[in-house]
Amino acid sequence: MADRSAVPRPPDAHRPSAQDTARLALVIGALGVVFGDIGTSPIYTLQTVFNPSDPHPVPVTPGNVYGVVSLVFWSVVIIVLVTYVLLAMRADNQGEGGIMALITLLRRAGSPRGRRTTAVLAALGIFGASLFFGDSMITPAISVLSAMEGLKVVEPSLENAVVPGTAAIIVVLFLVQRKGSAAVGRLFGPVMIAWFLAIGACGVSGIADHPQILRALSPSYALSFLFGHFGTAFFALAAIVLAVTGAEALYADMGHFGRPAITRGWLFLVFPACVLSYLGQGALILDDPKNISSPFFLLVPGWGRIAMVVLATAATVIASQAVITGAYSVASQAAQLGYLPRLRIAYTSESTMGQIYVPWINWLLTVSVLTLVFAFRSSTALAFAFGMAVTGTITITTLLFFYVARARSGTPVWLVAIGATVLLSVDLLFVAANATKLVHGAWLPLLIGLTAFTIMTTWQRGRDIVTTERARHEGPLREFVDQLHSGQAPALRVPGTTVFLNRGEQTAPLAMRANVEHNHVRHGQVVILSIETEPVPRIPADQRILLDHLGPTEDGIIHVTARFGYMETPDVPAALTLLDPTQTEGQLQLDQASYFLSKIELRRGKAPTMAPWRKRLFIATSYITADAAEYFGLPRDRTVIMGSHIEV
């Protein structure tokens, strides 16, 4: 008989590899950040559908319960699983996702119908990003309110503490944003794992009491409810859409965790847990229609409700954290692409670029969320507003995806047409249902979206006007350099290195021109630096710098283009260290270099470039622009700012 002990066996045959551990860590991280919003939807979705104070209430009958639960299930399958997980997440911009990534892909690939269609679709995408700001304001309010409302189930006398308690949690949440989520990020995953296991277990207990609720998984119940009771089902869709809130986060956060990690987390934990919770709540309502007051918390055994309220509060805070961080990212990317002024951005993690803090956006959200809490005072009242923001964003994402799929990969027209027709029909049905709630709060995200859209498009238009007018003031760069070289613009050449930040290579920096014309002096080594934001998340270091000698190679004047991705914060001194000393027409003294900035004061002119109100809005928006020296990482003690004014 052979000696089994003599057979060599790899020492790590039964141990998980480092790669497996890394994959697991990514999945846990995704569970803690990506799924907070959609994972807390079971708290308020069915409660809102059967809310008796709804202007279009859904009668609590067995047929309606089966139909609603079935519609919830298939809505999640079609919108989250098919639209986002299987389709949209395949359209990435070097690993980054979200509406801004789709806009970038659309611009790069173009539209089969021409540039005008591309521009219209890009504008539609900006409106979708604008709606996301509304989502960012509503999500923390509705999520924390819904969790705190569990206090009423535990002890009815605590009802008056719901709103103040919610406000206190929100204030603390926004106050700690400046510290970043890196320190507590490791706790998010385990908390959300506990959350999904808990809601799944409670759902199983409800199903065990009424296993017939499993029939709702059949699409026949959804279809019979939708077409057999269309009047009731149509209005119910305005609340059913709450089951898919947070779907955009799966796509927007793809760059942080990758598609495989998000897909695994969704398929193996989040989706099953949410479905079990909805089925369990449906079974509870079948048992007693009075349970519609709070089916989520009533599904929990009495001894565990306080613990569930605590866990729900933690989960909703995490959900809020995710969407707040998403707002920071959208604002940062919009500023990089020219739709918002330059904003002060702080990176709060050395290992994760997506963890950023934007003070101006943070305090805007703080005031907005608190206003919503005190104005609406309950999650059900706020739910009408929530649905419109979600459905608008989903519909625009679906439309842009199919245009990108056709333009980028050459997908057959017939296949694009079939897929777009089916999915957009579902999306537009939800949009139409939520439109019926306009007077009941659905106007709010539209107002927020239109306001943000107007600000972003006005800034883009005003920025183009200022750039054109500034180019006229600056004059051609090469002509100016030739004048310096030939002596037509006399200037004393003094030792030292100066860096002039400029918008491009075509025009001369205003600060440099003023220095020569008024002070009649220039430094021995002059670097004219332009920053270019590329429509990609990040630029490799070996592709960061482009150098142009601007004609003569002995005059010490060079032009440098520093390229950054839209997810990066420009660091000018660090970029300049990448220059090859043999190509810079002399040794640059970067540790002693002086940096010159041209500050532009905007004035409202009489030229018909924009409507008067848009001119005022553009100038007002310019006041939130971050300090250029800080934004570009310039040393304060060696930065000189020279002013000029331009009319718009």
Side-chain angles (χ1 to χ4, degrees), residues 212-226:
Q212 61 269 27
I213 192 63
L214 292 173
R215 299 174 187 170
L217 296 177
S218 169
S220 61
Y221 284 90
L223 294 173
S224 62
F225 178 60
L226 184 60

Side-chain angles (χ1 to χ4, degrees), residues 167-182:
I169 291 173
I170 287 171
V171 168
V172 173
L173 174 65
F174 282 102
L175 284 176
V176 301
Q177 289 301 311
R178 61 187 179 87
K179 297 183 180 297
S181 57

Side-chain angles (χ1 to χ4, degrees), residues 41 43-52 54 56-58 142 236 238-240 242 292 295 379-384:
S41 295
I43 299 176
Y44 46 78
T45 298
L46 291 188
Q47 175 183 335
T48 305
V49 172
F50 292 107
N51 178 20
D54 190 295
H56 305 95
V58 178
I142 191 174
I240 289 173
L242 298 176
I292 61 171
S379 60
T380 52
L382 200 52
F384 300 141

Side-chain angles (χ1 to χ4, degrees), residues 436-453:
T436 65
K437 308 295 185 182
L438 280 174
V439 296
H440 303 286
W443 56 268
L444 178 63
L446 289 179
L447 177 62
I448 296 172
L450 286 172
T451 301
F453 178 78

Side-chain angles (χ1 to χ4, degrees), residues 285-297:
I285 296 172
L286 285 176
D287 182 57
D288 186 353
K290 293 181 180 179
N291 289 328
I292 61 171
S293 61
S294 185
F296 177 83
F297 286 105

Side-chain angles (χ1 to χ4, degrees), residues 129-159:
S130 302
L131 286 175
F132 185 78
F133 285 116
D135 190 4
S136 302
M137 296 174 185
I138 298 172
T139 294
I142 191 174
S143 297
V144 181
L145 267 174
S146 64
M148 291 297 292
E149 284 169 351
L151 292 174
K152 296 188 295 184
V153 178
V154 175
E155 179 54 60
S157 63
L158 295 176
E159 180 176 359

Side-chain angles (χ1 to χ4, degrees), residues 407-587:
R408 189 187 185 194
S409 60
T411 306
V413 176
W414 64 268
L415 185 59
V416 170
I418 292 175
T421 300
V422 173
L423 295 182
L424 285 173
S425 295
V426 174
D427 295 344
L428 291 173
L429 189 61
F430 277 110
V431 171
N434 278 274
T436 65
K437 308 295 185 182
L438 280 174
V439 296
H440 303 286
W443 56 268
L444 178 63
L446 289 179
L447 177 62
I448 296 172
L450 286 172
T451 301
F453 178 78
T454 302
I455 291 172
M456 287 196 283
T457 53
T458 298
W459 181 261
Q460 183 195 35
R461 173 60 181 155
R463 186 170 175 266
D464 290 341
I465 294 170
V466 169
T467 300
T468 302
E469 186 65 16
R470 181 171 179 170
R472 188 178 68 83
H473 282 72
E474 292 172 336
L477 174 59
R478 288 184 180 272
E479 179 181 315
F480 181 62
V481 172
D482 290 341
Q483 290 174 358
L484 287 173
H485 185 69
S486 65
Q488 296 179 33
L492 178 65
R493 187 169 179 177
V494 298
T497 300
T498 53
V499 180
F500 292 90
L501 270 69
N502 201 34
R503 287 185 173 270
E505 191 177 354
Q506 304 304 315
T507 62
L510 284 175
M512 182 178 178
R513 184 178 288 278
N515 209 28
V516 170
E517 293 178 353
H518 297 288
N519 299 327
H520 306 292
V521 66
R522 55 150 292 197
H523 287 75
Q525 304 302 127
V526 177
V527 177
I528 301 171
L529 179 70
S530 300
I531 306 294
E532 285 190 1
T533 301
E534 302 293 339
V536 294
R538 299 170 187 87
I539 298 292
D542 60 349
Q543 302 175 24
R544 176 83 67 201
I545 295 294
L546 299 176
L547 188 145
D548 187 342
H549 292 280
L550 297 176
T553 58
E554 73 280 356
D555 60 2
I557 302 176
I558 61 173
H559 182 276
V560 173
T561 301
R563 303 167 65 239
F564 294 90
Y566 63 82
M567 292 290 288
E568 298 179 289
T569 297
D571 187 335
V572 168
L576 291 176
T577 61
L578 300 175
L579 286 168
D580 183 353
T582 64
Q583 300 292 321
T584 57
E585 301 183 14
Q587 185 68 37

Side-chain angles (χ1 to χ4, degrees), residues 265-313:
W266 169 254
L267 291 176
F268 295 112
L269 182 59
V270 181
F271 182 44
C274 290
V275 170
L276 289 172
S277 180
Y278 287 125
L279 290 170
Q281 292 179 57
L284 190 70
I285 296 172
L286 285 176
D287 182 57
D288 186 353
K290 293 181 180 179
N291 289 328
I292 61 171
S293 61
S294 185
F296 177 83
F297 286 105
L298 290 173
L299 190 62
V300 181
W303 53 266
R305 286 175 185 167
I306 293 179
M308 182 59 82
V309 170
V310 173
L311 186 58
T313 303

